[in-house]
Amino acid sequence: MIKQNRIAAFWFGLFLSVILVQTTSARSFSPGADFVEKPLTIRSKIKEGTEYCLLSYNELSLQVVISSISSYENSNVAGLRLLKNAQPISEWFYTAAGYPENEFKLFYSESLKSYYLIQSLDVDEWEKYDVYYIESNKVTFEGTYEPVSKQAYVFYESPAWYYRDSHTTLSREGNKTRFTYVDDHEKEVLEFLKYVANEKPDTEEEAVDEQQRTEYLKPLTSKLSTFDWEKGFVPQYVYNISFDFNEDNKKEAFEINWQKRSIKPLNVSAQQLRKDDHYKDNIVFKGDTLLILGPDYGRGPDEIQGTYKFTISKNYNVALLSAYTDFRFTNSSFQLKKYGNEVTCFGSEDYFLYNGANAIRLEDFTFDRFDKRDKQYDYGRRYTLNGLYEIVLKKEGTTNSIFNSCSPLPNTKELDMLVKSNPVTVKNVQKYNDMAFYFQGIVSEFESLRYELFQCSLFLLHKVLNAFPDRIVAWLNFGDVRWESAAIYKSYDKQAFDAYNKYLELMKAQGKDMNKVPARVYQRLEEYKKDKNINGKK
């Protein structure tokens, strides 16, 4: 999650003092009434350096205006107006740490006919949220909630958190808020408690006087009122961009017009580029997609380039990088070719956008700043189950193997997308289990990839066990992976201990031959018990 500096924390506390919230009187609630998370639709527009964002669900909507603060690096002041049935019911200001659609979640209770709105804060170690309760047209700031520290250290290191197998729950108990994370696999609960901040600024530099604060807030208040929230989200179709396509230290400038599907040169370098047969197709329209080819990498005798695909986002109304392809100029799968002593990879591999809020905008894009490793959880490959199964089980050095230097291991986000599009079923569970087993089994051969291989294996085993909790072999595999990954750090893992016990329990319950239980299972259970007795580990 996003990390917050002390300035941002102070700004939030300072702006909180101007929240225009209508408090409620004592009410009676049905104990334990659960709230279900509801999806917020998004519309966004950037205009003259200010971002306008409208988040909506049924009769509730959030109007957000975000402006940059020139006095503080990487800080943005945001104004928010909350409306119900198009009528304002509350307004406040905060320090924006990211995109609104990533910062806000909405929960609704059908029995209480009320909402919780939670706002993720920018923090140093773990999640922290501001919680608002919305009943009828009244809004109450419930407080800032953070996890119980002793539980948090364990929870955030668990596979459930890493694999996003946890979900947020909110409920009313009496007239109090209960805020938790629930681990969907282990069923562990992480409690959040109300946080009391130190209101005194840490340094004199952070003490901003009332007049300066008012000056920052006035423009936001005005923009919240003057922006046309119904008709103001008109897409931006025209862009002026410049790139150094031929690496001659002279940028070629173009006007891009999506409505006309036109690319107009704006300087002499651009005119010359369009006449050069080698580079004229480096920037072209294909339907409603703008294709931009990156500079030559020059590996081997063939040219290798990246292709970047920009489209106008319907939600964000600007041109975003929707996909990119590594190493163009061949339609085949990845292949390894040897030139002298150098092994070079050729082929193409498509990466697609996961989260529009984190997408790269055309106006901000440059070749030298783009690094797919930094975008691995925003962009990723779309595997088919059969396609990935074939890749994973091929041996090192073969065409399209996961061990090709140019075709990296899938990350957990890519695996998550695969499972969402191909849920674990009776028909395919064996393939998922086989891939998990294979990832774990080759760790000894590829020490440099052991962390990635363990993570891939654990992720798939979590999904298998969520779908089939009585699958015996999966519990054995899960115990092995947890044990072996913990052994890297010369420690013992309770989840491995529990998994082995579950494996033995299911073997007995299903009448399996106990003589087939691997000796390592009993040995590791005894090692764990011995270590627990000596060191008092739980």
Side-chain angles (χ1 to χ4, degrees):
M1 303 298 290
I2 310 170
K3 304 300 178 186
Q4 181 179 8
N5 53 37
R6 298 191 324 187
I7 294 176
F10 168 70
W11 267 101
F12 178 80
L14 192 59
F15 293 153
L16 191 60
S17 66
V18 298
I19 291 177
L20 307 176
V21 179
Q22 303 177 41
T23 57
T24 58
S25 57
R27 303 170 297 248
S28 61
F29 298 93
S30 56
D34 289 325
F35 287 72
V36 178
E37 184 174 355
K38 298 298 182 180
L40 287 164
T41 59
I42 169 72
R43 298 182 73 189
S44 181
K45 173 73 174 179
I46 295 180
K47 183 180 180 182
E48 297 176 352
T50 298
E51 181 166 3
Y52 300 86
C53 186
L54 181 65
L55 302 171
S56 305
Y57 173 76
N58 286 352
E59 80 273 36
L60 207 66
S61 60
L62 287 75
Q63 298 173 350
V64 182
V65 176
I66 304 175
S67 293
S68 174
I69 306 177
S70 59
S71 301
Y72 295 94
E73 186 178 359
N74 298 325
S75 295
N76 296 283
V77 176
L80 182 148
R81 179 175 292 162
L82 183 62
L83 300 92
K84 193 171 184 182
N85 295 317
Q87 297 300 315
I89 59 175
S90 188
E91 184 177 298
W92 65 86
F93 304 92
Y94 66 96
T95 299
Y99 297 98
E101 57 271 44
N102 289 344
E103 291 189 316
F104 292 95
K105 289 185 178 181
L106 186 69
F107 295 77
Y108 179 69
S109 169
E110 182 64 35
S111 61
L112 296 180
K113 306 297 182 185
S114 57
Y115 294 90
Y116 271 117
L117 177 68
I118 66 173
Q119 179 180 359
S120 175
L121 304 183
D122 213 12
V123 295
D124 291 331
E125 295 180 352
W126 46 56
E127 276 61 27
K128 188 182 293 184
Y129 294 91
D130 272 349
V131 179
Y132 301 88
Y133 185 72
I134 306 167
E135 182 188 34
S136 185
N137 289 339
K138 298 178 180 179
V139 181
T140 302
F141 175 60
E142 296 282 309
T144 301
Y145 283 72
E146 69 173 359
V148 178
S149 59
K150 290 184 179 179
Q151 293 180 335
Y153 285 111
V154 175
F155 190 87
Y156 287 126
E157 292 178 357
S158 71
W161 181 247
Y162 185 84
Y163 301 137
R164 299 166 178 81
D165 280 342
S166 59
H167 67 273
T168 305
T169 66
L170 283 151
S171 62
R172 301 292 290 187
E173 297 183 350
N175 63 348
K176 295 182 179 180
T177 297
R178 188 185 182 203
F179 188 146
T180 62
Y181 278 155
V182 177
D183 173 344
D184 292 340
H185 183 67
E186 302 296 331
K187 308 305 178 186
E188 294 179 358
V189 175
L190 174 61
E191 293 281 353
F192 281 67
L193 299 179
K194 190 176 294 188
Y195 169 76
V196 179
N198 180 7
E199 297 181 358
K200 183 178 180 180
D202 292 334
T203 68
E204 292 183 3
E205 294 179 358
E206 294 177 349
V208 182
D209 59 30
E210 182 70 22
Q211 181 179 358
Q212 185 179 7
R213 180 189 65 183
T214 303
E215 290 302 313
Y216 283 132
L217 301 185
K218 278 182 180 179
L220 292 178
T221 302
S222 174
K223 290 175 180 179
L224 279 168
S225 302
T226 58
F227 183 74
D228 188 340
W229 293 96
E230 291 186 7
K231 302 178 181 179
F233 298 100
V234 178
Q236 178 182 345
Y237 291 112
V238 180
Y239 300 83
N240 290 335
I241 62 173
S242 59
F243 298 103
D244 184 7
F245 286 104
N246 54 13
E247 298 184 289
D248 62 355
N249 296 320
K250 296 178 182 179
K251 288 190 174 182
E252 295 81 35
F254 297 93
E255 178 191 87
I256 310 298
N257 190 314
W258 248 268
Q259 288 179 310
K260 297 179 179 180
R261 301 290 190 271
S262 65
I263 301 170
K264 178 182 177 182
L266 296 179
N267 60 9
V268 174
S269 295
Q271 293 173 356
Q272 293 174 344
L273 187 85
R274 299 298 278 177
K275 296 177 181 179
D276 189 325
D277 290 339
H278 185 75
Y279 292 104
K280 65 181 182 180
D281 292 330
N282 276 45
I283 178 167
V284 295
F285 269 108
K286 186 176 182 180
D288 61 357
T289 300
L290 179 70
L291 301 181
I292 297 178
L293 276 63
D296 299 351
Y297 290 107
R299 295 183 185 176
D302 298 323
E303 296 163 348
I304 303 176
Q305 294 179 309
T307 303
Y308 306 92
K309 304 173 185 180
F310 290 86
T311 54
I312 300 292
S313 167
K314 294 181 180 179
N315 288 336
Y316 299 93
N317 298 290
V318 293
L320 301 180
L321 179 64
S322 57
Y324 66 89
T325 302
D326 273 348
F327 306 127
R328 199 172 179 271
F329 296 132
T330 177
N331 295 322
S332 63
S333 299
F334 273 120
Q335 298 179 20
L336 294 180
K337 294 183 179 180
K338 192 168 184 179
Y339 296 94
N341 294 323
E342 181 181 356
V343 176
T344 305
C345 49
F346 292 88
S348 62
E349 193 163 40
D350 290 330
Y351 287 75
F352 298 90
L353 176 65
Y354 291 138
N355 187 346
N358 296 331
I360 298 175
R361 302 175 189 270
L362 175 59
E363 295 170 306
D364 300 328
F365 176 79
T366 60
F367 296 128
D368 58 341
R369 288 177 55 191
F370 182 78
D371 187 338
K372 70 178 182 181
R373 290 172 297 181
D374 295 334
K375 306 300 296 180
Q376 63 175 330
Y377 285 105
D378 300 325
Y379 295 86
R381 295 158 292 184
R382 292 177 183 170
Y383 291 105
T384 63
L385 178 56
N386 290 336
L388 182 60
Y389 182 78
E390 179 183 355
I391 292 172
V392 168
L393 269 64
K394 283 188 174 181
K395 294 181 180 180
E396 180 187 8
T398 60
T399 300
N400 217 23
S401 164
I402 60 169
F403 302 107
N404 277 355
S405 59
C406 51
S407 184
L409 286 169
N411 60 47
T412 54
K413 184 65 177 178
E414 291 170 334
L415 292 177
D416 188 45
M417 293 293 288
L418 171 66
V419 176
K420 285 179 179 177
S421 59
N422 299 270
V424 181
T425 65
V426 173
K427 292 183 178 181
N428 64 27
V429 65
Q430 187 64 51
K431 286 188 175 180
Y432 279 116
N433 208 127
D434 287 349
M435 287 193 293
F437 177 76
Y438 186 73
F439 282 134
Q440 179 260 336
I442 60 176
V443 168
S444 60
E445 299 178 43
F446 301 94
E447 284 292 316
S448 62
L449 296 174
R450 61 183 182 179
Y451 177 80
E452 291 83 356
L453 290 166
F454 278 139
Q455 298 309 321
C456 288
S457 181
L458 285 171
F459 181 89
L460 293 177
L461 288 171
H462 265 272
K463 299 303 181 183
V464 168
L465 290 172
N466 280 338
F468 297 94
D470 293 334
R471 186 174 176 83
I472 295 177
V473 67
W475 283 108
L476 175 61
N477 295 153
F478 185 77
D480 287 342
V481 178
R482 290 295 305 182
W483 183 273
E484 291 169 17
S485 59
I488 296 174
Y489 305 101
K490 298 181 179 179
S491 63
Y492 294 92
D493 185 78
K494 185 178 184 301
Q495 289 194 42
F497 176 81
D498 293 340
Y500 284 141
N501 278 325
K502 182 69 175 179
Y503 164 70
L504 294 176
E505 175 188 321
L506 290 173
M507 286 285 287
K508 293 176 182 177
Q510 296 182 26
K512 303 296 182 180
D513 184 357
M514 298 303 290
N515 291 323
K516 294 184 178 180
V517 174
R520 67 178 182 278
V521 173
Y522 296 115
Q523 179 183 352
R524 290 172 177 178
L525 287 173
E526 288 302 314
E527 284 186 33
Y528 180 86
K529 292 177 183 177
K530 182 179 179 180
D531 180 75
K532 180 181 177 182
N533 291 333
I534 294 175
N535 299 312
K537 292 184 179 180
K538 296 182 180 180

